[in-house]
Amino acid sequence: MIKTDIIIIGAGPVGLFAVFEAGLLKLRCHLIDSLPQPGGQCSEIYPKKPIYDIPGFPSVLAGELVDNLMAQAAPFKPGFTLGEAAQDIEKQEDGTFIVTTAKGTQHHAPIVMIAGGLGVFEPRKPPIENIVDFEDKGVEYIIKDPEFYRGKRVVIAGGGDSALDWSIYLTENRIASEVILVHRSSSFRGHLDSVQKVIDYAEAGKITLVTEAEVTGLSGDGKLDKVHITHAKDGEIVKEADHFVPLFGLKPSLGPIANWGLEIEKNAIKVDTLDYSTNIPGIYAIGDVNTYEGKLKLILCGFHEGTIALQSAFARIHPDKKNVLKYTTVNGVNGF
Ligand SMILES: Cc1cc2nc3c(=O)[nH]c(=O)nc-3n(C[C@H](O)[C@H](O)[C@H](O)COP(=O)(O)OP(=O)(O)OC[C@H]3O[C@@H](n4cnc5c(N)ncnc54)[C@H](O)[C@@H]3O)c2cc1C
């Protein structure tokens, strides 16, 4: 049994920063994440994309932000249970909690901080009969490292920002040898300047844009070789390709947390904005996983929520101690 002061479910940016804020209050944390690495969406979906709205960083790659958050949390020696989904929670008679993962690892603490983001990651897959046969053999649902596509022929499908941005990135940086963007409509949902850029590249012959079309078949011997596209007017078009990357977003699924007796609204956990507590005393929800009036799913909002929630958690753990806010400039960072 792993014992700690705070069990944090989700090692995304918000969960990681909570370790630092907890450490300043002399509270120890243990993080559980179903992914094999920390960083949540930043590591899993867009590690090489720059983020522009982290205060004090005019631009920072999502992967770098995670590295920095890990370094910031390091003095407080957080524990990690990675590659295991938090499955069950049991409230003990003394008000503490035992959280058990799908692999049976048990964690015990007086406070549970849910920073589960979008929940357990599930990409939306296109309805292509044999797509599963080509997963990791040419079909990927997320672009983790663009270098993986160097010199390759890549078919991207989708009409949102991810599909547009990656088509532009792989073309602009001369990474892929060929980029084909397939979208079922002739209008896109992404940012207008990205749409314009894709159209410009298509006109210049740098991107092959196939609209009003869908990828409906895949073929290859042991690995992907051809992508079969059904066009509304022209019928079937076959393109030779090394990779097919459908970027249709992630299916938000809270996963096991949805059955823990928490108040859920629109697939997110309802919280009291006074301290981001849930309807179960001792359980808080911070970051993308929570909902309240005016909620913004932004990293900086999650940082704020975690900081406030931890003040409340401190008061629960130490009802007899008064916590006086101390600046880090005055007190420094005194690790464990
Ligand atoms: C392409 C893209 C671009 C973005 N750009 C920006 C931007 O520019 N600025 C910005 O502020 N935000 C941006 N965002 C949003 C930002 O990434 C999220 O707001 C942020 O990741 C939320 O952090 P989080 O820690 O709350 O959740 P997440 O990053 O989603 O992490 C949650 C973690 O919890 C884990 N988890 C969930 N359920 C369980 C369970 N039961 N057991 C164990 N682990 C579990 C998941 O595996 C995941 O690792 C962007 C998002 C995307 C997809």
Side-chain angles (χ1 to χ4, degrees):
M1 179 85 75
I2 293 163
K3 284 183 185 279
T4 187
D5 294 320
I6 300 176
I7 297 166
I8 301 179
I9 298 171
V14 173
L16 291 176
F17 188 63
V19 174
F20 176 78
E21 286 294 331
L24 294 181
L25 299 170
K26 301 266 170 267
L27 299 175
R28 285 178 186 271
C29 296
H30 189 98
L31 298 107
I32 306 173
D33 205 300
S34 49
L35 294 173
Q37 78 283 328
Q41 293 172 55
C42 293
S43 302
E44 188 63 13
I45 307 180
Y46 62 107
K48 303 278 161 135
K49 270 193 166 194
I51 307 177
Y52 301 104
D53 57 351
I54 303 298
F57 289 89
S59 168
V60 60
L61 292 181
E64 270 172 20
L65 175 67
V66 172
D67 292 345
N68 289 345
L69 288 165
M70 287 290 283
Q72 200 169 15
F76 301 114
K77 299 191 170 58
F80 287 93
T81 301
L82 295 176
E84 298 185 32
Q87 186 78 30
D88 295 308
I89 192 162
E90 236 180 274
K91 194 164 193 170
Q92 307 301 291
E93 267 176 24
D94 62 358
T96 61
F97 299 92
I98 292 179
V99 176
T100 308
T101 69
K103 289 189 185 163
T105 313
Q106 292 199 305
H107 309 75
H108 183 217
I111 298 289
V112 174
M113 193 81 39
I114 303 176
L118 300 176
V120 181
F121 281 81
E122 263 183 65
R124 282 198 182 89
K125 300 182 183 181
I128 301 170
E129 213 179 284
N130 60 350
I131 194 161
V132 184
D133 302 341
F134 289 101
E135 284 174 2
D136 298 325
K137 292 177 191 129
V139 169
E140 296 87 37
Y141 302 102
I142 286 166
I143 295 186
K144 284 189 198 164
D145 180 4
E147 283 304 319
F148 185 62
Y149 300 92
R150 185 160 292 280
K152 306 286 190 210
R153 299 160 301 179
V154 185
V155 177
I156 292 177
D161 279 318
S162 290
L164 293 165
D165 290 353
W166 281 120
S167 298
I168 294 168
Y169 191 93
L170 295 179
T171 305
E172 219 161 56
N173 296 288
R174 296 165 192 256
I175 293 175
S177 63
E178 189 184 3
V179 174
I180 301 170
L181 175 60
V182 182
H183 180 40
R184 63 171 171 226
S185 161
S186 53
S187 58
F188 287 85
R189 292 186 313 279
H191 280 104
L192 287 182
D193 48 349
S194 307
V195 176
Q196 193 52 51
K197 222 173 197 183
V198 164
I199 292 170
D200 292 346
Y201 280 145
E203 281 172 3
K206 292 181 177 170
I207 289 179
T208 305
L209 184 58
V210 191
T211 55
E212 298 185 351
E214 281 180 70
V215 173
T216 48
L218 303 171
S219 58
D221 190 10
K223 69 176 187 50
L224 186 71
D225 186 35
K226 289 189 182 71
V227 167
H228 302 253
I229 301 165
T230 304
H231 190 269
K233 290 185 198 115
D234 303 340
E236 192 185 48
I237 305 168
V238 180
K239 295 275 185 195
E240 292 197 350
D242 303 302
H243 292 277
F244 172 49
V245 190
L247 295 173
F248 296 158
L250 293 168
K251 232 189 298 177
S253 154
L254 259 185
I257 294 167
N259 308 317
W260 288 3
L262 296 159
E263 230 180 301
I264 308 282
E265 194 178 86
K266 291 190 206 133
N267 216 24
I269 302 168
K270 271 181 88 171
V271 287
D272 181 344
T273 47
L274 191 70
D275 58 0
Y276 304 98
S277 56
T278 68
N279 59 311
I280 302 179
I283 304 185
Y284 297 80
I286 56 176
D288 277 17
V289 80
N290 75 15
T291 185
Y292 52 87
E293 208 183 324
K295 167 74 185 176
L296 289 179
K297 287 190 183 186
L298 285 175
I299 295 168
L300 101 134
C301 297
F303 289 168
H304 163 82
E305 292 164 8
T307 306
I308 300 291
L310 280 155
Q311 297 288 321
S312 171
F314 179 91
R316 273 190 77 80
I317 294 175
H318 301 295
D320 45 342
K321 278 196 202 164
K322 192 168 161 22
N323 176 39
V324 181
L325 179 72
K326 294 182 192 110
Y327 293 135
T328 53
T329 42
V330 176
N331 253 38
V333 173
N334 304 306
F336 296 140

